[in-house]
Amino acid sequence: MDTPGFFELMSFGPEGWAPALLRAAMMTLAIAATGYVIGSTLGAFLAWGKVSGGRVIRGFAETYTTVLRGIPDLLVIYLFYFGGSLLLTKIMRGLGGEGFFDLPGFAAGSIAIGVVSAAQHTEVFRGAYRAVTPGEIEAAVAMGMARPTLFRRIILPLTARHALPGMGNVWQITLKESALVSVTGVVELVRQAQIGAGSTRQPFYFFFASAVLFLVITWISGLVLNRAERHFSRGLER
Amino acid sequence: MTKPAIRLRGLRKSFGLNEVLSGIDLDANEGEVVSILGSSGSGKSTMLRCINLLETPSAGEVWIGDEMIELTTDKAGRSKPTDAGKVQKIRERVGMVFQSFNLWSHKTVLENVMEAPIHVLGRPKAEVREEALALLDKVGIAAKRDAYPAHLSGGQQQRAAIARSLAMHPDVLLFDEPTSALDPELVGEVLRVMRSLADEGRTMLVVTHEMGFARDVSTRVVFLHQGQIDCQGAPDDLFTGGGSERFQRFAAPS
């Protein structure tokens, strides 16, 4: 019997793994995107805390970023996966449930990734806010602009301009980090490649294919980010 | 013509232990153009910034028209306005032009002028736009309305900033060294705009180093020294030997 070649294995045919790999790519994207949304939201609050919080809030934000940037991401994923399941089990037992309750790998993984990227987002946002010319904010204050309007119309777009390059970086990192979530058994790209490699004994084909899919995702997101950057840096000196 | 537009009474401001303003009494009536002179560190910019509460006075009274800004002391012992909403309302009526222009860099010139009337005063966009175009025309940069501030010269930026202030229909205009950041050849175009505003009878307080403007355009000159008013009067008097000896030395052409 012939061993199937690369294109046969990666096809949509009966021997093909294309559907499974594409599904896995979507899973990778979903984990990364969810983690990214969690991370940027949390990061925005932490940055706000660092910039204008009192001593307690600032201390908390400072500790958060120091700790999360200092420990391996894999550890954070384990912490949320196993710790989350233990906590969930406790809660469910408290509510009268029985047995062991698993925190789904997707949830644990994206929260873990989000929590890690929050630390990176915090630094990006804080640096971006610092880069806004204080005079531009003062000019709005001097015209009697209310706080929420000032934030939405002036501070946010000006901060975004400085934050976007950094946010693009964090997105790429988050995307790659999502590969670590494979340890929880979620079938994302890396996990799917392992499965394929194991059952066909063609590790190179599968890891190569997943690498290509990763690249396609980063390439497309790079295009989107470039557009956003262009939009927000309008009026900047070139 | 003698209604007071701005009144300062016993205005004091300290930064830490450093007292920058040590009791200023100043009146500016409607239609007056008051030039505020003084060497650097004399407190003239701080005084101006106290009027629209960009700096909170440590003590004293600030009156805008017939409204006084009430101050109170917070838990940490710092002075702050009692009513933040009232401060916002007052800022709508007091225009400010900054040394570094401070145009919003992500908005075009026209958008800069339209921003506050729409998003602070809540006026209809079409009407504001028409008015903004007329203002840009008045300050001579109508052709640059779709340009971003970074693509304008300093003089053009400052004229746009003046138009932005005027769009709020302010009762008073504060100028904080409006020509100090400009290349010498661009100073004239900004001063010309300011002169035309003075001719319209607008109430203006101008912190400046431009002796020509102070002498020729202002109705009154106030000379600050170490946080106090050293002397003040009509420019014709002060510049012909009427002021203090210190002022004579300050104003003497070097």
Side-chain angles (χ1 to χ4, degrees), chain B residues 118-188:
Chain B
I118 293 174
H119 294 281
V120 176
L121 301 180
R123 294 178 49 203
K125 195 171 172 185
E127 178 190 309
V128 169
R129 183 185 156 87
E130 208 160 299
E131 218 177 273
L133 289 172
L135 284 171
L136 290 178
D137 196 43
K138 174 177 175 164
V139 299
I141 48 168
K144 295 285 183 188
R145 66 183 203 193
D146 294 322
Y148 285 98
H151 301 136
L152 301 183
S153 73
Q156 290 168 331
Q157 287 191 53
Q158 194 58 299
R159 285 184 283 150
I162 292 172
R164 177 175 69 171
S165 283
L166 293 175
M168 293 291 280
H169 298 295
D171 298 340
V172 185
L173 280 168
L174 310 176
F175 292 83
D176 189 7
E177 303 203 27
T179 57
S180 299
L182 295 175
D183 292 338
E185 75 269 22
L186 301 177
V187 169

Side-chain angles (χ1 to χ4, degrees), chain A residues 97-140:
Chain A
E98 269 172 39
F100 187 74
F101 291 88
D102 233 6
L103 183 63
F106 177 82
S110 11
I111 293 173
I113 283 199
V115 162
V116 170
S117 90
Q120 295 158 342
H121 271 113
T122 304
E123 295 308 313
V124 169
F125 289 149
R126 187 177 64 141
Y129 176 77
R130 286 271 149 84
V132 176
T133 324
E136 291 182 51
I137 296 172
E138 190 165 72

Side-chain angles (χ1 to χ4, degrees), chain B residues 96-116:
Chain B
M96 185 153 198
V97 174
F98 298 88
Q99 177 176 355
S100 47
F101 329 132
N102 295 347
L103 291 170
W104 298 304
S105 54
H106 60 305
K107 295 179 185 297
T108 64
V109 167
L110 182 60
E111 287 168 350
N112 263 277
V113 178
M114 291 170 63
E115 179 69 19

Side-chain angles (χ1 to χ4, degrees), chain B:
Chain B
M1 272 295 276
T2 50
K3 264 176 71 184
I6 286 182
R7 257 184 302 166
L8 305 178
R9 287 291 174 271
L11 185 70
R12 288 176 180 274
K13 174 67 183 175
S14 307
F15 295 102
L17 292 175
N18 181 22
E19 191 170 63
V20 180
L21 298 176
S22 329
I24 301 247
D25 297 319
L26 183 80
D27 290 87
N29 290 326
E30 275 178 19
E32 263 200 295
V33 178
V34 180
S35 285
I36 299 150
L37 306 177
S39 48
S40 64
S42 59
K44 49 196 195 309
S45 282
T46 306
M47 186 189 94
L48 205 67
R49 291 166 59 82
C50 280
I51 294 173
N52 64 356
L53 276 291
L54 286 181
E55 304 286 357
T56 311
S58 309
E61 294 177 6
V62 176
W63 292 77
I64 312 290
D66 46 19
E67 274 189 279
M68 194 186 87
I69 299 165
E70 278 165 59
L71 300 171
T72 175
T73 314
D74 69 8
K75 273 174 282 174
R78 279 184 302 256
S79 167
K80 65 164 196 175
T82 313
D83 183 351
K86 191 171 166 190
V87 170
Q88 264 175 29
K89 284 281 166 234
I90 279 171
R91 283 173 177 157
E92 292 171 12
R93 294 164 39 204
V94 179
M96 185 153 198
V97 174
F98 298 88
Q99 177 176 355
S100 47
F101 329 132
N102 295 347
L103 291 170
W104 298 304
S105 54
H106 60 305
K107 295 179 185 297
T108 64
V109 167
L110 182 60
E111 287 168 350
N112 263 277
V113 178
M114 291 170 63
E115 179 69 19
I118 293 174
H119 294 281
V120 176
L121 301 180
R123 294 178 49 203
K125 195 171 172 185
E127 178 190 309
V128 169
R129 183 185 156 87
E130 208 160 299
E131 218 177 273
L133 289 172
L135 284 171
L136 290 178
D137 196 43
K138 174 177 175 164
V139 299
I141 48 168
K144 295 285 183 188
R145 66 183 203 193
D146 294 322
Y148 285 98
H151 301 136
L152 301 183
S153 73
Q156 290 168 331
Q157 287 191 53
Q158 194 58 299
R159 285 184 283 150
I162 292 172
R164 177 175 69 171
S165 283
L166 293 175
M168 293 291 280
H169 298 295
D171 298 340
V172 185
L173 280 168
L174 310 176
F175 292 83
D176 189 7
E177 303 203 27
T179 57
S180 299
L182 295 175
D183 292 338
E185 75 269 22
L186 301 177
V187 169
E189 61 191 59
V190 172
L191 289 181
R192 262 196 302 283
V193 170
M194 290 170 60
R195 184 185 288 256
S196 76
L197 295 177
D199 291 344
E200 288 173 10
R202 287 182 184 272
T203 313
M204 297 161 62
L205 266 68
V206 186
V207 168
T208 185
H209 292 290
E210 292 294 326
M211 291 300 166
F213 181 89
R215 196 173 46 225
D216 303 338
V217 182
S218 48
T219 55
R220 189 145 50 94
V221 171
V222 173
F223 179 60
L224 254 59
H225 179 71
Q226 292 181 349
Q228 288 181 312
I229 294 180
D230 189 67
C231 63
Q232 59 175 316
D236 287 345
D237 289 343
L238 286 195
F239 283 99
T240 52
S244 69
E245 203 176 306
R246 188 178 282 121
F247 177 76
Q248 297 313 328
R249 257 181 285 129
F250 175 83
S254 44

